[in-house]
Amino acid sequence: MTLLERVRGFAIRHDLWRPPTLGIVALSGGSDSVALLLLLHEFATHGEVVLDAAAHLNHSIRGRDADEDEAFCGELCARLMVPFVASRIDVPAKASLERVSLEVAARRARHAFLEQVRESRAADFVATAHTEDDQAETVLLRIVRGAGTRGLAGILPRRRHLIRPLLACSRDELRAYLTSRDQTWREDETNQDVTNPRNRVRHDLLPYLARHFNPSVRASLARLAEVARGDEIAIGPLVEAASADIVRVSTEEVSLDAAALNALPEGLARRVIQNALTRIRPDRICNLRDVDLVLAVAKGGPTAAEFSGLRVERFDDSAVLVKRARNLRPRRRGAGTRVPRR
Amino acid sequence: MTLLERVRGFAIRHDLWRPPTLGIVALSGGSDSVALLLLLHEFATHGEVVLDAAAHLNHSIRGRDADEDEAFCGELCARLMVPFVASRIDVPAKASLERVSLEVAARRARHAFLEQVRESRAADFVATAHTEDDQAETVLLRIVRGAGTRGLAGILPRRRHLIRPLLACSRDELRAYLTSRDQTWREDETNQDVTNPRNRVRHDLLPYLARHFNPSVRASLARLAEVARGDEIAIGPLVEAASADIVRVSTEEVSLDAAALNALPEGLARRVIQNALTRIRPDRICNLRDVDLVLAVAKGGPTAAEFSGLRVERFDDSAVLVKRARNLRPRRRGAGTRVPRR
């Protein structure tokens, strides 16, 4: 099966586009995104999708190299007759203004730019060139940092308007595809600073695992992500149905019917609690320890627990979650009064 | 919470024993199993379980050290007034007879011995001293080798008559507990040979992850295993119900209703296929690639596929699994004729 056929299969399986769908390609000039552009261009030639434009953001981080990247992308698009939209932003200035790392500032700027291009052109999606390698890094990083099975789903094939058609392709395959078509790309001065956890995973941990345990470890991790995502989809309707029975939301609090919660299989009970935590704190990703604390209180272990800005307390047949008001803390000891765990 | 209380909580949560339950402790003399014996002895003193005996197998691998281990265990049991059952087996001879590694031969011999002791004494369980460290190693090894979420459940708290009450305790905690009680243990000359994958995980990979990513990586992995097990329990009844509708078993073959299978969320479809594969091949652990092949055939991709001694073929509305008879192979090419994947 050719790379083109595999990407097509992936797109069909995840319903990423259908004939009249209008798409934007995020193009950095690196091998992954150049391959993405060429592949989508091929699909467009076959009438499977409409390639509306390629969008390039110059981050003003790498000086002349960045300008050359932009010129390279512009020329490539001109040759393919794909409209080219470029913009420039001073990421270092943005980072120091927002007091975040260059990496975070760059990601935010990129997302905002891509979404703006998509909206202004009324396109249906922005395709980004995340590969199996990126997926493996994400999943592995989450595993070693302590994710639940939910986190293992990793980078999703689609999140709102963002699609990732190359999630099942390795970087090596993409480069082989480009080479076979005599297509060059810009070598990103890959960040080799291994004090950054993702770089350490990429340059150190994954090569070590491939050498000593499993040469296809990246593919195995990407596959695990897909299975975990499948499990999420399978279990989702169950969680929704149970949550509808068990979780009550008011303006002040979220309460859980303890008896009904305790009657559930524990895996399901955990998901219902995750749901409840998301209702009271939509902006945060659930921590498994928080979920366990709520479960312990619902089961009649400690009568109350406090964690990450929330308080959970057992009242009669309910476990009630409230946001913790600063002035309600009785005593402040260390980072806050906590009911000891375990 | 003391170690004793935590182990009690774990035992209650997983329903490992109730007052009249009669148990055997597998005792090697190492810190984990000595702690297990002392803890169960405390529970027995409180009338929570009946400690019937400690069982020790001398593997005849480590010569005089092994004899000293046995003597140490015997003396400890005498002091605690716990019946001591010891036996000796020539593991090196068994390994060369069965043409397996020392490790595999030792594990088989140990399992057979423990089960024999349990049966002969009509006990309800054999408790082994697997810890959070063992759990973390198992889960990590499965992840890097390519497990699905099912494999992530790792070592189960109970498997038939075997129970593992210390699965949520770290080795360090157990040693601190022993030290606090002035209890010594036998230092196992731990196998440092890192060409053995588990030793490499223990002595190399986990310390690296703890140093560079997450000091509590072992606890995080053990927690992931517990969440995965919970998910399994939550999703189990769904899989059973769907399998009852979709999987038909006869003496010759297992067939799957393709339309009904394809109508399921993919995660659930995968589990139903795992079920079907287990019906036709009860002795083997499912490989995710095999599951994907069956799914592809059911979805109308390739019309047939062969893998690991099985053949799956699409007939009308069914995907039919049969064991592959040697004389039915049309041509033999390499490891067998295969329908190309992807």
Side-chain angles (χ1 to χ4, degrees):
Chain A
M1 210 182 268
T2 66
L3 184 71
L4 189 82
E5 287 165 344
R6 280 182 47 209
V7 175
R8 178 184 287 132
F10 186 85
I12 291 171
R13 204 138 61 88
H14 298 288
D15 199 18
L16 298 187
W17 59 70
R18 295 177 190 196
T21 311
L22 201 67
I24 308 282
V25 171
L27 181 66
S28 70
S31 57
D32 302 345
S33 69
V34 171
L36 178 64
L37 178 65
L38 261 63
L39 286 161
L40 280 179
H41 185 256
E42 284 203 57
F43 291 127
T45 316
H46 299 152
E48 296 170 49
V49 68
V50 181
L51 185 49
D52 181 62
H56 176 87
L57 185 63
N58 185 327
H59 294 66
S60 316
I61 297 182
R62 305 191 300 126
R64 237 187 75 185
D65 272 346
D67 296 339
E68 286 173 19
D69 288 350
E70 184 176 337
F72 171 88
C73 291
E75 284 157 25
L76 174 61
C77 287
R79 182 160 63 72
L80 296 173
M81 293 191 287
V82 171
F84 181 61
V85 184
S87 181
R88 177 181 298 254
I89 184 165
D90 187 344
V91 168
K94 184 177 156 74
S96 80
L97 192 73
E98 298 179 4
R99 295 165 183 275
V100 293
S101 66
L102 275 184
E103 210 181 4
V104 169
R107 192 176 56 235
R108 285 186 189 165
R110 213 160 46 233
H111 275 177
F113 165 68
L114 292 170
E115 182 53 19
Q116 184 199 325
V117 173
R118 189 194 65 77
E119 281 208 337
S120 70
R121 302 185 64 97
D124 298 298
F125 68 74
V126 172
T128 62
H130 291 91
T131 63
E132 186 182 86
D133 301 72
D134 298 311
Q135 181 71 296
E137 290 161 16
T138 299
V139 170
L140 193 52
L141 203 50
R142 292 198 185 168
I143 287 170
V144 298
R145 284 177 164 176
T149 51
R150 211 173 195 180
L152 299 195
I155 304 169
L156 303 179
R158 168 189 289 281
R159 198 165 58 93
R160 292 192 288 271
H161 298 298
L162 278 178
I163 66 170
R164 289 87 176 210
L166 305 185
L167 222 38
C169 307
S170 72
R171 179 159 303 141
D172 286 348
E173 288 172 301
L174 295 173
R175 294 191 170 189
Y177 164 79
L178 292 177
T179 304
S180 76
R181 300 174 53 104
D182 287 326
Q183 175 63 54
T184 58
W185 61 87
R186 295 282 296 170
E187 279 300 348
D188 196 353
E189 284 171 358
T190 313
N191 190 343
Q192 299 273 350
D193 171 16
V194 294
T195 59
N196 169 313
R198 181 172 289 268
N199 288 333
R200 192 185 284 281
V201 167
R202 179 178 303 171
H203 299 301
D204 204 12
L205 179 54
L206 276 169
Y208 165 88
L209 294 176
R211 198 162 57 243
H212 292 300
F213 292 97
N214 175 5
S216 326
V217 65
R218 291 175 191 83
S220 294
L221 287 166
R223 184 175 287 268
L224 173 60
E226 213 178 323
V227 173
R229 202 183 51 80
D231 283 0
E232 268 312 305
I233 293 170
I235 216 174
L238 268 186
V239 176
E240 290 308 318
S243 299
D245 288 342
I246 290 171
V247 182
R248 291 280 163 265
V249 181
S250 74
T251 47
E252 295 284 307
E253 59 186 41
V254 171
S255 84
L256 295 135
D257 178 337
L261 188 72
N262 296 336
L264 292 179
E266 197 164 297
L268 202 50
R270 278 213 174 85
R271 303 292 184 119
V272 170
I273 292 170
Q274 283 181 4
N275 249 11
L277 286 170
T278 310
R279 300 298 287 273
I280 199 161
R281 206 176 50 179
D283 45 321
R284 285 188 52 162
I285 289 175
C286 272
N287 179 316
L288 282 178
R289 287 171 182 273
D290 297 352
V291 172
D292 281 355
L293 269 181
V294 176
L295 192 61
V297 169
K299 284 197 168 178
T303 54
E306 301 191 351
F307 54 89
S308 349
L310 293 181
R311 177 180 172 80
V312 56
E313 189 162 356
R314 172 111 186 189
F315 289 111
D316 298 327
D317 296 331
S318 297
V320 178
L321 282 162
V322 291
K323 285 198 181 171
R324 207 158 37 148
R326 281 183 181 280
N327 55 0
L328 287 184
R329 289 193 204 165
R331 290 161 290 164
R332 187 172 166 96
R333 193 196 296 156
T337 308
R338 292 181 185 229
V339 171
R341 298 198 49 241
R342 292 204 153 155
Chain B
M1 210 182 268
T2 66
L3 185 70
L4 188 82
E5 286 165 345
R6 281 182 47 209
V7 175
R8 177 183 287 132
F10 186 85
I12 291 171
R13 203 138 64 90
H14 297 289
D15 200 17
L16 298 186
W17 58 70
R18 293 177 193 197
T21 311
L22 202 66
I24 308 282
V25 171
L27 181 67
S28 70
S31 56
D32 302 345
S33 70
V34 170
L36 177 64
L37 179 65
L38 262 62
L39 286 162
L40 280 180
H41 184 257
E42 285 203 56
F43 291 127
T45 315
H46 300 152
E48 296 170 50
V49 68
V50 181
L51 185 49
D52 181 62
H56 176 87
L57 186 63
N58 185 327
H59 294 65
S60 317
I61 296 181
R62 303 191 301 127
R64 237 186 76 184
D65 272 345
D67 296 339
E68 287 174 16
D69 288 349
E70 184 177 333
F72 171 87
C73 291
E75 285 156 26
L76 175 61
C77 288
R79 182 158 63 71
L80 296 173
M81 292 191 289
V82 172
F84 181 61
V85 184
S87 181
R88 178 182 297 254
I89 184 166
D90 187 344
V91 168
K94 183 176 157 74
S96 80
L97 192 73
E98 297 179 5
R99 295 166 182 277
V100 293
S101 66
L102 275 184
E103 210 181 6
V104 169
R107 191 175 58 234
R108 285 186 189 165
R110 212 159 46 231
H111 276 177
F113 165 67
L114 292 171
E115 182 53 18
Q116 185 199 324
V117 172
R118 190 193 65 76
E119 281 208 337
S120 70
R121 302 186 63 99
D124 298 299
F125 68 74
V126 172
T128 62
H130 291 90
T131 63
E132 186 182 84
D133 301 71
D134 298 311
Q135 180 71 296
E137 290 161 16
T138 299
V139 170
L140 193 52
L141 203 49
R142 291 198 185 167
I143 288 169
V144 299
R145 283 178 164 175
T149 51
R150 211 174 194 180
L152 299 196
I155 304 169
L156 302 179
R158 167 188 289 282
R159 198 165 58 92
R160 293 192 288 271
H161 298 298
L162 278 179
I163 66 169
R164 288 89 176 210
L166 305 186
L167 222 39
C169 308
S170 72
R171 179 161 301 141
D172 287 348
E173 288 172 300
L174 295 173
R175 294 192 170 189
Y177 164 78
L178 292 177
T179 304
S180 76
R181 299 176 52 104
D182 286 326
Q183 176 62 55
T184 59
W185 61 86
R186 295 282 297 168
E187 279 299 349
D188 197 351
E189 282 173 358
T190 313
N191 190 343
Q192 299 273 351
D193 171 16
V194 294
T195 60
N196 169 313
R198 181 171 287 268
N199 288 333
R200 192 184 284 282
V201 168
R202 179 177 304 172
H203 299 300
D204 205 11
L205 179 53
L206 276 169
Y208 165 88
L209 294 176
R211 198 162 56 242
H212 292 300
F213 292 97
N214 175 4
S216 326
V217 64
R218 292 174 190 83
S220 294
L221 288 166
R223 185 174 287 267
L224 173 60
E226 213 178 321
V227 173
R229 202 184 51 82
D231 283 1
E232 268 312 304
I233 292 171
I235 215 174
L238 269 185
V239 177
E240 290 307 318
S243 299
D245 288 342
I246 290 171
V247 182
R248 291 279 164 267
V249 181
S250 74
T251 47
E252 294 285 306
E253 59 185 44
V254 170
S255 84
L256 294 135
D257 177 337
L261 188 72
N262 296 337
L264 292 179
E266 198 164 296
L268 201 50
R270 278 212 173 86
R271 303 292 184 119
V272 170
I273 292 171
Q274 284 182 3
N275 248 11
L277 286 169
T278 310
R279 300 297 287 271
I280 199 160
R281 207 175 49 180
D283 45 321
R284 284 189 53 163
I285 289 176
C286 273
N287 180 313
L288 282 178
R289 287 170 182 273
D290 296 353
V291 172
D292 281 355
L293 270 180
V294 176
L295 192 61
V297 169
K299 284 198 168 177
T303 54
E306 301 191 352
F307 54 89
S308 349
L310 292 180
R311 178 179 171 82
V312 56
E313 189 162 357
R314 173 111 185 192
F315 289 110
D316 300 326
D317 296 331
S318 298
V320 178
L321 283 162
V322 290
K323 285 197 181 170
R324 205 155 40 143
R326 281 183 181 280
N327 55 359
L328 286 183
R329 288 191 204 166
R331 291 160 290 163
R332 187 173 167 94
R333 192 195 297 157
T337 308
R338 293 181 184 226
V339 171
R341 298 199 49 240
R342 294 206 153 154

